[in-house]
Amino acid sequence: MTTLPETTARLLITCPDRPGIVSAVTTFLYHHGLNITELDQHSSDPSGGKFFMRLEFQTPSMDVSRPALAQAFGEVVAKRFEMDWRLSFAADKPRMALLVSRHDHALLELLWRWQRGELRADIPMVISNHPDLRESVERFGVRFEHVAIDAATHAEAEAKMLALLAGQTDLIVLARYMRILSGEFVAHYPSRIINIHHSFLPAFVGADPYQQAQLRGVKIIGATAHYVTADLDQGPIIEQDVVRVSHRDELVDLKNLGRDLERQVLARAVRWHIEDRVIVDGNKTVVFS
Amino acid sequence: MTTLPETTARLLITCPDRPGIVSAVTTFLYHHGLNITELDQHSSDPSGGKFFMRLEFQTPSMDVSRPALAQAFGEVVAKRFEMDWRLSFAADKPRMALLVSRHDHALLELLWRWQRGELRADIPMVISNHPDLRESVERFGVRFEHVAIDAATHAEAEAKMLALLAGQTDLIVLARYMRILSGEFVAHYPSRIINIHHSFLPAFVGADPYQQAQLRGVKIIGATAHYVTADLDQGPIIEQDVVRVSHRDELVDLKNLGRDLERQVLARAVRWHIEDRVIVDGNKTVVFS
Amino acid sequence: MTTLPETTARLLITCPDRPGIVSAVTTFLYHHGLNITELDQHSSDPSGGKFFMRLEFQTPSMDVSRPALAQAFGEVVAKRFEMDWRLSFAADKPRMALLVSRHDHALLELLWRWQRGELRADIPMVISNHPDLRESVERFGVRFEHVAIDAATHAEAEAKMLALLAGQTDLIVLARYMRILSGEFVAHYPSRIINIHHSFLPAFVGADPYQQAQLRGVKIIGATAHYVTADLDQGPIIEQDVVRVSHRDELVDLKNLGRDLERQVLARAVRWHIEDRVIVDGNKTVVFS
Amino acid sequence: MTTLPETTARLLITCPDRPGIVSAVTTFLYHHGLNITELDQHSSDPSGGKFFMRLEFQTPSMDVSRPALAQAFGEVVAKRFEMDWRLSFAADKPRMALLVSRHDHALLELLWRWQRGELRADIPMVISNHPDLRESVERFGVRFEHVAIDAATHAEAEAKMLALLAGQTDLIVLARYMRILSGEFVAHYPSRIINIHHSFLPAFVGADPYQQAQLRGVKIIGATAHYVTADLDQGPIIEQDVVRVSHRDELVDLKNLGRDLERQVLARAVRWHIEDRVIVDGNKTVVFS
């Protein structure tokens, strides 16, 4: 249905599964004049499992202030069911920093969709370890920062990036950023760094996945958007997609076909994150798309 | 999650959209000791639209009898929100009669899935206008009835089929039944006859859709499962799928490729209907798959 | 295999099917020092049908000039088998004019791929009936022409466009150009105007196909690239693709999903045309992709 | 085009790439009255690579006997270009033995397609390490052999199977045969044993791939048909396909969805092998589908 971002709010909940949760949450919202327009739930196991829920609701008739709503929910509902929860208002756009190296396709796709209003976020800056894409980025009115990095300067460069990002972003998107982030860097943004890996994970982790794919002679290639953890290419998968290839496709063809996949898969994963549709559950995700 | 059919119940609801529905329904279920394991909802339009909901819940701790639950829901909740609703218990398997002509692929696919337990239904009989498939059907332990039909005997044959089916079935599946059912026949089973049409509707309605597809030179063909209404191939669509073809594919190839589509698409649509996942909304469907 | 555009040539052939064609063509090329690197053929019917062939070959050891090769082929082979044929050298890039209205997605996708070298063509100009996209186009270093058009000025505007295009282009791509071209205009560029229609043809011809799709309640939507003929949306289909939708998708969602389809489908069709991979056969196409 | 199996022949060729091959082969066939109806070729690299070709041609006007044709081709063409080649006549159906354990879905799919004439082969026998599927197999008029096998009797059981198969089969299809064949067994049938692995290889090799997939939280699962080599799940891939899954799908759902994939993927791979459409190239395949 058509809803206005100005009056849309969302609630994301994870808690131990037990009877009465849906009733308690929806009754709370109803009593505060909030009209539920989307509700998704998932139980990992009905006996002793985890319960996940996402609600989207409309606030024109809300009878309290935003902070008061959050406080009341915490005291009346969340505490009783031991919930991890997050309340957000669509009007408060999340901030999303983009990291990129030299390949522009994933970056331009995100900037183009952002410019059209498909991605409701603010972009505080794009950081790159190469200066090449400055003009492409600034054309969109977005700040571009060049932070060179190599093996010798890795720690220093990461420190510089962390300083640039500090207090400026809620989400980091690696739009084909070709350097491996250290565990220390990643620890600053748990479940808040999204990477696009150019293979159908867990096949072909690490470097040159298209070359690996061609050597193995697969008939389908893929792309995977996932949250970054300290273990390379092992983080929770948000979205994947694939395309058919054949013996006729050489490495350059795989790269061309894969590039289109990467653009689509990363754009979907970023949009779902921004719209609070993804809940991390250990090394997996619940995606209410 | 793993749930036992013996203790699973489902509630399907359609009503005018307004605040408080989810709260009222889930609170009712909670108060009767019922544990919700699946909940899907859909609003066609938040202001003045229709509201659709499907709940699946577990009954081991239900505090009343089944009829008492239904009666209480009707009085306490359904009346207040002007609901069309249906409560069903998975242990009560629906009955599904199959109609077929000479092509066996859709029929065998359904019988094979039914035998493995993928389709939780009883099959009271298979009716065919040809005798050819008797042995294939009876091998599954299913009753086979031959009702010949032609232009001259159409009304008479339909009357005979209606007599055979009367009180015996909740659902009729046309598994490539090649005669057009009259409006009178269809009126006996509103939204309860599922047909598989061998095209991507609304393209290529009527006869010989694969031939029409080849003449038009499409690059993708499809199959469509839909509820039968009095208007040929115009009923609410439940499920569709497609497969890529090329200039190399002749009519026989389209038929072979399409046959595999028909089997998959019809099997999905029938399973969703049996599991109470489909709500008809005018000429469209809401499918909580 | 890796081949250089500078030394790549292509031969497209249509003729009545009869024995000896492949032998004659490949022996001719071999005798002139040409090395075949791709060969595709198709017979519409082995007895009395049509024969279609595409060859790609390498010219470093060619023993005659380009014009001499063409002349010899015409006299030695083509005449004997009554061939329609076309010889092209990849170094001679085709010229492709783009027509657009206000939607920028299909246009930008083509310009972006062209800039990366994925579409080996020259772009003499973009013509639009609105001035809005001038800056977006000129940023790519491409000429932009605004030709306003309405019902009253239709003939005059088309004449102006024809004058701009005369002698300047080999192919016209309608990248969401929302005016219907007259039969007179189309007659100037037979099988040389490619349109992207935002539906899975032949479903939903004409205006507002996404709205038609939503009203019909389809579960899959599509996009179709086709050659333009005098009959609206009836021309030979080059490429189609689809995406799954559900009852949750409103008109705006169909448009968003469809927009991504349109970009991909049109880009593929244009690339195939440019690489001489498409042969029109009546109202159908043979695509050697 | 429509061609009769009685008059269809096929030629499969692998040789070092160099100019003149296509000309020599097609001229040879033309001079013997043979009409080419399909021709596919592939060069792994135009300078110093390998060349692969498949031709399908019609024999009604063939001017020599079958053995004479083969002898002449060997002497006149194959020797000159150092070809590995194979000439086959569609009328001579290949023999295909099936191995199965307890899961019946892949086996029944093959038997059903074979019965309809989609798979043009003879089936000398089905061998199983369990007696369960005897009745299902014999119903199709196919011989069933039970060869029990466990760790202690592995060598003995394989010897018994080899004895049953000796001289009886050209191809072995593992339709969910759950024992690992020894390197000795495999060596008897190089590139002639097809297995269906229930994952998207190279992801999830070895046991319980659906469980591995669920633990990793992938959003798409797959199935892979490949030739069996001495290295488990490492042989040349013939065909793969995938289906989308979500956090809602439990292990049983993955198995159900995967089962349908396995049926389709294995059936396609077997058909392509039977129709001489697959050439093994090291650890990869060239598939002229």
Side-chain angles (χ1 to χ4, degrees):
Chain A
M1 59 265 114
T2 316
T3 55
L4 294 176
E6 291 72 29
T7 59
T8 298
R10 301 176 196 124
L11 194 51
L12 272 192
I13 293 168
T14 307
C15 65
D17 196 6
R18 61 182 230 225
I21 303 171
V22 185
S23 167
V25 173
T26 59
T27 301
F28 173 88
L29 295 176
Y30 175 54
H31 286 163
H32 285 288
L34 301 161
N35 191 16
I36 298 167
T37 42
E38 282 191 40
L39 187 160
D40 278 291
Q41 66 160 61
H42 173 62
S43 308
S44 63
D45 185 341
S47 52
K50 271 194 210 165
F51 181 83
F52 306 89
M53 185 155 63
R54 177 186 187 271
L55 298 111
E56 199 163 300
F57 50 92
Q58 309 303 316
T59 60
S61 311
M62 183 162 67
D63 66 354
V64 290
S65 70
R66 290 177 180 191
L69 185 78
Q71 193 184 336
F73 184 78
E75 288 167 6
V76 176
V77 182
K79 192 182 259 176
R80 176 176 155 210
F81 291 97
E82 302 169 78
M83 291 176 172
D84 282 336
W85 61 285
R86 196 153 71 82
L87 173 66
S88 65
F89 296 88
D92 300 336
K93 287 197 267 185
R95 297 161 303 170
M96 157 174 83
L98 309 178
L99 269 59
V100 70
S101 292
R102 274 196 174 109
H103 292 297
D104 69 351
H105 57 279
L107 177 76
L108 290 182
E109 183 77 21
L110 292 177
L111 289 172
W112 179 77
R113 288 180 187 268
W114 169 75
Q115 195 179 46
R116 311 179 50 89
E118 283 185 39
L119 299 175
R120 291 189 48 83
D122 289 323
I123 302 183
M125 74 191 78
V126 171
I127 302 178
S128 179
N129 55 331
H130 294 285
D132 314 34
L133 299 176
R134 175 179 299 277
E135 195 196 334
S136 297
V137 169
E138 293 181 344
R139 190 176 282 163
F140 285 90
V142 171
R143 175 180 166 200
F144 179 90
E145 291 288 343
H146 173 217
V147 179
I149 188 166
D150 59 28
T153 64
H154 201 101
E156 194 183 334
E158 284 201 348
K160 194 169 168 192
M161 285 162 55
L162 284 172
L164 282 167
L165 294 166
Q168 300 298 311
T169 197
D170 303 299
L171 170 68
I172 296 173
V173 179
L174 309 185
R176 293 300 300 271
Y177 181 71
M178 306 306 280
R179 305 294 304 193
I180 298 172
L181 296 172
S182 70
E184 290 71 36
F185 188 104
V186 172
H188 282 81
Y189 295 92
S191 300
R192 293 199 287 145
I193 307 177
I194 296 178
N195 182 46
I196 180 72
H197 185 73
H198 36 313
S199 87
F200 184 82
L201 288 177
F204 311 132
V205 300
D208 298 324
Y210 291 129
Q211 194 162 3
Q212 294 184 57
Q214 211 210 10
L215 286 173
R216 182 60 186 92
V218 293
K219 300 302 185 186
I220 287 173
I221 60 169
T224 304
H226 64 95
Y227 288 112
V228 175
T229 60
D231 297 321
L232 184 64
D233 299 334
Q234 303 295 322
I237 294 170
I238 305 169
E239 171 63 343
Q240 306 186 283
D241 213 340
V242 297
V243 67
R244 193 163 278 273
V245 298
S246 84
H247 60 271
R248 298 191 198 279
D249 292 302
E250 296 178 73
L251 187 53
V252 63
D253 301 311
L254 299 191
K255 286 179 178 174
N256 280 340
L257 289 164
R259 195 184 291 129
D260 291 339
L261 274 186
E262 295 167 36
R263 293 157 73 194
Q264 300 273 342
V265 168
L266 182 60
R268 284 204 289 270
V270 168
R271 185 166 57 78
W272 292 340
H273 179 99
I274 286 174
E275 294 177 0
D276 295 314
R277 296 185 179 280
V278 189
I279 305 179
V280 173
D281 175 28
N283 201 42
K284 305 204 279 188
T285 61
V286 170
V287 180
F288 293 126
S289 62
Chain B
M1 59 266 114
T2 316
T3 55
L4 295 176
E6 290 72 27
T7 58
T8 298
R10 301 175 194 126
L11 193 51
L12 272 192
I13 294 168
T14 307
C15 65
D17 197 5
R18 61 183 230 224
I21 303 171
V22 184
S23 167
V25 173
T26 58
T27 301
F28 173 87
L29 294 177
Y30 174 56
H31 286 164
H32 285 288
L34 301 161
N35 190 18
I36 298 167
T37 42
E38 283 191 38
L39 186 161
D40 278 291
Q41 65 160 60
H42 173 62
S43 308
S44 63
D45 185 343
S47 53
K50 269 194 211 166
F51 181 83
F52 306 88
M53 186 157 61
R54 177 186 187 272
L55 298 112
E56 199 163 300
F57 49 92
Q58 307 304 314
T59 59
S61 310
M62 182 162 68
D63 66 354
V64 291
S65 70
R66 291 177 179 189
L69 185 78
Q71 194 185 335
F73 184 78
E75 289 168 5
V76 176
V77 182
K79 192 183 261 176
R80 176 176 155 211
F81 291 98
E82 302 169 77
M83 290 176 172
D84 282 336
W85 61 285
R86 195 154 71 82
L87 174 66
S88 65
F89 296 88
D92 302 335
K93 289 197 267 185
R95 297 162 303 170
M96 159 175 83
L98 309 177
L99 268 59
V100 69
S101 292
R102 274 194 174 112
H103 292 298
D104 68 350
H105 57 281
L107 177 76
L108 290 182
E109 183 76 21
L110 292 177
L111 289 172
W112 178 77
R113 288 180 188 268
W114 169 76
Q115 194 179 46
R116 312 179 49 90
E118 283 185 39
L119 299 175
R120 290 189 48 84
D122 289 322
I123 302 183
M125 74 191 77
V126 171
I127 302 179
S128 178
N129 55 331
H130 293 286
D132 313 34
L133 298 176
R134 175 180 298 278
E135 195 195 334
S136 297
V137 169
E138 292 181 344
R139 191 177 281 163
F140 285 89
V142 171
R143 175 179 165 200
F144 180 90
E145 292 288 342
H146 172 217
V147 180
I149 187 166
D150 61 28
T153 64
H154 200 101
E156 193 183 335
E158 283 200 348
K160 193 167 167 193
M161 284 161 56
L162 285 172
L164 282 167
L165 293 166
Q168 301 297 310
T169 197
D170 303 299
L171 170 68
I172 296 173
V173 179
L174 310 186
R176 294 298 303 269
Y177 182 71
M178 306 306 280
R179 307 293 302 195
I180 299 172
L181 296 173
S182 70
E184 291 72 36
F185 187 103
V186 173
H188 282 81
Y189 295 93
S191 300
R192 293 199 286 146
I193 307 178
I194 296 178
N195 182 45
I196 180 73
H197 185 73
H198 37 312
S199 87
F200 184 81
L201 288 177
F204 312 132
V205 300
D208 297 324
Y210 291 128
Q211 195 162 3
Q212 293 184 56
Q214 212 211 10
L215 286 172
R216 181 62 186 91
V218 292
K219 300 301 186 186
I220 288 174
I221 60 168
T224 304
H226 64 94
Y227 288 112
V228 175
T229 61
D231 297 321
L232 184 63
D233 299 333
Q234 303 295 323
I237 294 171
I238 305 169
E239 171 63 343
Q240 306 188 283
D241 213 340
V242 297
V243 67
R244 193 164 276 275
V245 298
S246 84
H247 60 270
R248 297 190 199 279
D249 292 302
E250 296 178 72
L251 187 53
V252 63
D253 301 311
L254 299 190
K255 286 180 178 173
N256 280 340
L257 288 164
R259 192 184 293 129
D260 290 339
L261 275 186
E262 295 167 35
R263 292 158 72 195
Q264 300 274 341
V265 169
L266 182 59
R268 285 204 289 270
V270 167
R271 183 164 60 77
W272 291 340
H273 179 99
I274 286 175
E275 295 177 359
D276 295 313
R277 296 184 179 281
V278 190
I279 304 179
V280 173
D281 174 28
N283 201 42
K284 304 204 280 188
T285 60
V286 170
V287 179
F288 293 125
S289 62
Chain C
M1 59 266 114
T2 316
T3 54
L4 296 175
E6 291 72 28
T7 59
T8 298
R10 301 177 196 124
L11 194 51
L12 271 193
I13 294 167
T14 308
C15 65
D17 196 6
R18 60 183 230 223
I21 302 170
V22 185
S23 168
V25 173
T26 60
T27 301
F28 172 88
L29 295 177
Y30 175 56
H31 287 162
H32 285 287
L34 301 160
N35 190 18
I36 298 166
T37 43
E38 283 191 40
L39 187 160
D40 277 291
Q41 65 160 61
H42 174 62
S43 308
S44 63
D45 184 342
S47 52
K50 270 195 212 166
F51 181 84
F52 306 89
M53 185 156 63
R54 178 186 187 271
L55 298 112
E56 198 163 301
F57 50 92
Q58 307 305 314
T59 60
S61 310
M62 183 162 67
D63 66 353
V64 291
S65 70
R66 290 177 180 190
L69 185 79
Q71 194 184 337
F73 185 78
E75 289 167 6
V76 177
V77 182
K79 192 183 262 175
R80 176 175 154 211
F81 291 97
E82 302 168 78
M83 291 176 172
D84 282 336
W85 61 285
R86 196 153 71 82
L87 174 67
S88 65
F89 296 89
D92 302 336
K93 287 197 267 185
R95 296 162 304 171
M96 158 174 84
L98 310 178
L99 269 59
V100 70
S101 293
R102 273 194 175 113
H103 291 298
D104 68 351
H105 57 280
L107 177 77
L108 290 182
E109 183 77 20
L110 292 177
L111 290 172
W112 179 77
R113 289 180 187 268
W114 169 76
Q115 195 180 45
R116 311 179 50 90
E118 283 184 39
L119 299 175
R120 288 190 49 83
D122 289 323
I123 302 183
M125 74 192 77
V126 170
I127 302 178
S128 179
N129 56 329
H130 294 285
D132 314 33
L133 299 176
R134 176 180 297 278
E135 196 196 333
S136 298
V137 168
E138 291 181 345
R139 191 176 281 164
F140 285 90
V142 171
R143 175 181 166 199
F144 180 90
E145 292 287 343
H146 173 216
V147 180
I149 187 167
D150 60 27
T153 64
H154 200 101
E156 193 183 335
E158 284 201 347
K160 194 169 167 192
M161 285 162 56
L162 284 171
L164 282 168
L165 293 165
Q168 300 298 311
T169 198
D170 304 299
L171 170 68
I172 296 173
V173 179
L174 310 186
R176 295 299 302 270
Y177 182 71
M178 306 306 281
R179 306 292 304 192
I180 297 173
L181 297 173
S182 71
E184 291 71 36
F185 188 104
V186 172
H188 281 80
Y189 294 93
S191 300
R192 293 199 286 146
I193 307 177
I194 296 178
N195 182 45
I196 180 72
H197 184 72
H198 37 312
S199 87
F200 184 81
L201 287 176
F204 311 131
V205 301
D208 297 324
Y210 292 129
Q211 194 163 3
Q212 293 184 56
Q214 212 210 9
L215 286 173
R216 181 60 185 91
V218 292
K219 301 301 186 186
I220 287 173
I221 61 169
T224 303
H226 65 94
Y227 288 113
V228 175
T229 61
D231 297 320
L232 183 65
D233 299 333
Q234 303 294 322
I237 294 170
I238 305 169
E239 171 64 343
Q240 306 186 283
D241 213 340
V242 297
V243 67
R244 194 164 276 275
V245 297
S246 83
H247 61 270
R248 299 191 197 277
D249 292 303
E250 295 179 73
L251 187 53
V252 64
D253 302 310
L254 299 190
K255 285 179 178 174
N256 280 341
L257 289 164
R259 194 184 292 129
D260 291 338
L261 274 186
E262 295 167 35
R263 294 157 72 194
Q264 300 273 343
V265 168
L266 181 61
R268 285 203 289 271
V270 168
R271 184 165 60 78
W272 292 340
H273 179 99
I274 286 174
E275 295 177 359
D276 295 313
R277 297 184 179 279
V278 189
I279 304 179
V280 172
D281 174 28
N283 201 42
K284 306 204 278 187
T285 61
V286 170
V287 179
F288 293 126
S289 61
Chain D
M1 58 267 112
T2 316
T3 55
L4 295 175
E6 291 72 29
T7 59
T8 298
R10 301 177 194 125
L11 194 50
L12 272 193
I13 294 168
T14 307
C15 65
D17 197 6
R18 60 183 231 224
I21 303 170
V22 184
S23 168
V25 173
T26 59
T27 302
F28 172 87
L29 294 177
Y30 174 56
H31 286 162
H32 285 287
L34 301 161
N35 191 17
I36 298 167
T37 42
E38 283 190 39
L39 187 160
D40 278 290
Q41 65 160 62
H42 173 62
S43 308
S44 62
D45 184 344
S47 53
K50 269 194 212 167
F51 181 83
F52 306 88
M53 186 156 62
R54 178 186 187 271
L55 299 111
E56 198 162 301
F57 50 92
Q58 307 304 315
T59 59
S61 310
M62 182 162 68
D63 66 354
V64 290
S65 69
R66 291 178 180 190
L69 184 78
Q71 194 185 336
F73 185 78
E75 289 167 5
V76 176
V77 182
K79 192 183 260 175
R80 177 177 155 210
F81 291 98
E82 302 170 78
M83 290 174 173
D84 282 336
W85 60 285
R86 196 153 71 81
L87 174 67
S88 65
F89 296 88
D92 301 335
K93 289 196 266 186
R95 297 162 303 170
M96 159 174 82
L98 309 178
L99 269 58
V100 70
S101 293
R102 273 194 174 114
H103 291 298
D104 69 351
H105 57 280
L107 177 76
L108 290 182
E109 184 76 22
L110 292 177
L111 289 172
W112 179 76
R113 288 180 187 268
W114 169 76
Q115 195 179 47
R116 311 179 49 90
E118 283 185 39
L119 299 175
R120 289 189 49 83
D122 289 322
I123 301 183
M125 74 192 77
V126 172
I127 302 178
S128 179
N129 55 330
H130 293 286
D132 314 32
L133 298 177
R134 175 178 298 278
E135 195 194 335
S136 297
V137 169
E138 291 181 346
R139 191 176 281 163
F140 285 90
V142 171
R143 175 180 165 200
F144 179 90
E145 292 288 341
H146 172 217
V147 180
I149 188 166
D150 60 29
T153 64
H154 201 101
E156 193 183 335
E158 284 200 348
K160 192 168 168 193
M161 285 161 57
L162 285 172
L164 282 168
L165 294 166
Q168 300 296 310
T169 198
D170 303 299
L171 170 68
I172 296 174
V173 178
L174 310 186
R176 293 300 301 271
Y177 181 71
M178 306 305 280
R179 306 293 303 194
I180 298 172
L181 296 172
S182 70
E184 291 72 35
F185 187 105
V186 172
H188 281 81
Y189 295 92
S191 300
R192 293 199 286 146
I193 307 178
I194 296 177
N195 182 45
I196 180 72
H197 185 73
H198 38 312
S199 87
F200 184 80
L201 288 177
F204 312 131
V205 300
D208 297 324
Y210 291 128
Q211 195 163 1
Q212 293 184 58
Q214 213 212 8
L215 286 173
R216 182 62 186 91
V218 292
K219 300 301 186 186
I220 287 174
I221 59 168
T224 304
H226 64 94
Y227 288 113
V228 175
T229 61
D231 297 320
L232 183 65
D233 299 333
Q234 302 295 323
I237 293 171
I238 305 169
E239 171 65 342
Q240 305 186 284
D241 213 339
V242 297
V243 68
R244 194 164 276 276
V245 297
S246 84
H247 61 271
R248 297 191 199 277
D249 292 302
E250 297 179 73
L251 187 53
V252 63
D253 302 310
L254 299 191
K255 286 180 178 174
N256 281 340
L257 289 164
R259 194 184 292 129
D260 290 339
L261 275 186
E262 296 167 35
R263 292 157 72 193
Q264 301 274 341
V265 169
L266 181 61
R268 285 205 288 271
V270 168
R271 183 165 60 77
W272 291 340
H273 179 99
I274 286 174
E275 295 176 0
D276 295 313
R277 296 185 179 279
V278 189
I279 305 180
V280 172
D281 175 28
N283 201 42
K284 305 204 279 187
T285 62
V286 170
V287 180
F288 293 126
S289 62

